[in-house]
Amino acid sequence: MSLLRALLRSARRTRSAPRHGDGPPTGDEVLLDAPDERLAPALLAAGRGEYGPAAKLLATTREAAGWEDRDRYARRLAAFACSRPAWAEEWHANAPDDPDALLLRAQLAVDRCWASPARAELLAEIGPLVAAATRADPHDPVPWRIALDHACGTRAGHTEFEHLWTEAVRRSPHHYGCHVAALGYLAATWHGSHGECFDFAESAAQDAPPDALVQALPAHAALSCLSRGAEVPRERVDAAADRAIALSARFRAADPWPAEVRNLLAYLLVCLDRRQDALDQLHLIGPYATSVPWDQASDDPLGLFLRLREELPAEAHRPTPDGLVPSPRRPRREDGGHAGASGH
């Protein structure tokens, strides 16, 4: 049995329901990677060296089983701690067995290793730290998403990855971050192929509830394939985009919850030259522009976001101008170079 079928089989055994939780803003109102109202106070306190609000935020998401929010907040807090680690170190020193402190520590360690040319070797060294995070709370899937990312970086074998995947989906069958990690593992850059990557994404979306973020997984796979120059039938990519558009329509405009997938979808639609659809998503995003995926095409992702939102209406019936729309095959950087595949 292929890894793809094994991953899908494990996920289907434990399917359950997901989380239940007017013109566009001006350019001055849009902030790149803006925190929502729950994360912002925690980041402000962290800036003062205080870890209490971050600890409370992560504990709240864990107790409420708000796994998508927990994952997002852990990533953002770890990104902050990369440049200002003292508050996170104090937190862990004062509560070494706290599941939330262990989660943040594992995420921070993986992020630091990922940026190094010696990624695989460094990641192997922090394996015990990641394992400790997975043991800290028996219900939490987010440490298992970190473990999946860790396995991607160490190029773990299929058997090991299947084990980690089974543990992750047993805790949250439709967890978006875990599925994105599996997608990365299946991609041609890692151990699979573009076809297997796309098959996995489509099957996962078909199995998921209509309002689960996993509905955007085929769009994620499509953009990954296009950015690597893979040959994918246009109708398959359009279907992936349409599925993500249907997901986006389920949420109110300027909602931070679907912001990540709306940004990814808008970028994919621009690459496909579906300009009106892309403009609709740019407006729905509101102030919640995200670095990824716009940084694939520009060293100024916010500038590109704002420029596209302003210029796409006028370009709706004109030939594609050079420099406005990234290439649908390999997203083009504005400095003339080429962006690589989707990052971690």
Side-chain angles (χ1 to χ4, degrees):
M1 175 177 291
S2 72
L3 175 62
L4 169 66
R5 292 197 298 274
L7 297 184
L8 291 172
R9 181 188 62 185
S10 298
R12 284 171 177 154
R13 280 201 298 261
T14 53
R15 293 300 182 193
S16 63
R19 165 198 185 276
H20 293 298
D22 282 318
T26 65
D28 291 341
E29 295 172 328
V30 180
L31 297 175
L32 195 66
D33 301 320
D36 64 22
E37 70 252 5
R38 299 174 69 193
L39 178 62
L43 289 173
L44 287 173
R48 299 190 297 267
E50 303 168 10
Y51 65 83
K56 182 177 180 180
L57 176 62
L58 289 183
T60 299
T61 61
R62 178 165 48 86
E63 292 161 3
W67 306 130
E68 302 290 4
D69 282 334
R70 180 173 176 78
D71 200 348
R72 181 182 299 119
Y73 296 152
R75 289 176 185 269
R76 292 295 304 276
L77 290 167
F80 180 87
C82 275
S83 58
R84 301 183 66 177
W87 66 278
E89 292 170 357
E90 181 183 359
W91 178 8
H92 184 259
N94 290 334
D97 298 321
D98 176 42
D100 307 310
L102 287 169
L103 176 72
L104 181 61
R105 192 174 182 224
Q107 181 67 66
L108 177 58
V110 169
D111 289 348
R112 284 172 168 167
C113 294
W114 205 271
S116 171
R119 174 194 302 168
E121 294 80 2
L122 293 175
L123 285 171
E125 293 175 4
I126 65 165
L129 191 155
V130 174
T134 64
R135 294 191 298 267
D137 185 294
H139 306 293
D140 187 359
V142 182
W144 293 95
R145 189 273 301 158
I146 297 174
L148 291 169
D149 285 340
H150 180 268
C152 287
T154 58
R155 298 180 179 259
H158 287 185
T159 300
E160 179 182 350
F161 195 88
E162 280 186 50
H163 165 70
L164 297 173
W165 170 257
T166 299
E167 293 294 331
V169 297
R170 182 166 65 83
R171 289 161 172 81
S172 182
H174 306 294
H175 187 263
Y176 182 64
C178 291
H179 280 76
V180 171
L183 200 64
Y185 188 86
L186 290 168
T189 302
W190 301 106
H191 302 271
S193 67
H194 294 300
E196 191 169 53
C197 179
F198 224 124
D199 290 344
F200 169 76
E202 290 173 339
S203 296
Q206 288 166 7
D207 287 348
D211 58 351
L213 295 183
V214 172
Q215 292 292 338
L217 200 67
H220 198 294
L223 187 55
S224 177
C225 291
L226 292 176
S227 69
R228 295 183 175 99
E231 295 293 337
V232 181
R234 173 64 189 242
E235 59 271 18
R236 196 174 191 184
V237 178
D238 278 326
D242 291 340
R243 181 184 285 275
I245 288 172
L247 171 67
S248 176
R250 290 180 166 272
F251 301 97
R252 61 180 172 83
D255 186 343
W257 172 254
E260 178 182 341
V261 297
R262 275 177 171 162
N263 277 264
L264 183 146
L265 170 60
Y267 185 79
L268 174 62
L269 290 165
V270 169
C271 289
L272 296 175
D273 205 17
R274 292 175 54 172
R275 301 182 187 185
Q276 186 56 55
D277 287 337
L279 185 62
D280 291 343
Q281 295 304 315
L282 290 169
H283 288 168
L284 287 171
I285 288 165
Y288 293 104
T290 57
S291 297
V292 178
W294 306 106
D295 57 1
Q296 289 190 36
S298 174
D299 292 324
D300 178 15
L302 179 57
L304 176 60
F305 175 91
L306 294 173
R307 185 161 64 92
L308 287 170
R309 196 181 63 180
E310 178 182 353
E311 297 181 18
L312 274 177
E315 300 296 334
H317 304 291
R318 300 179 190 174
T320 302
D322 184 52
L324 175 63
V325 180
S327 164
R329 290 294 299 274
R330 294 187 64 197
R332 206 161 24 82
R333 300 188 68 89
E334 290 182 332
D335 60 10
H338 290 284
S342 299
H344 170 62

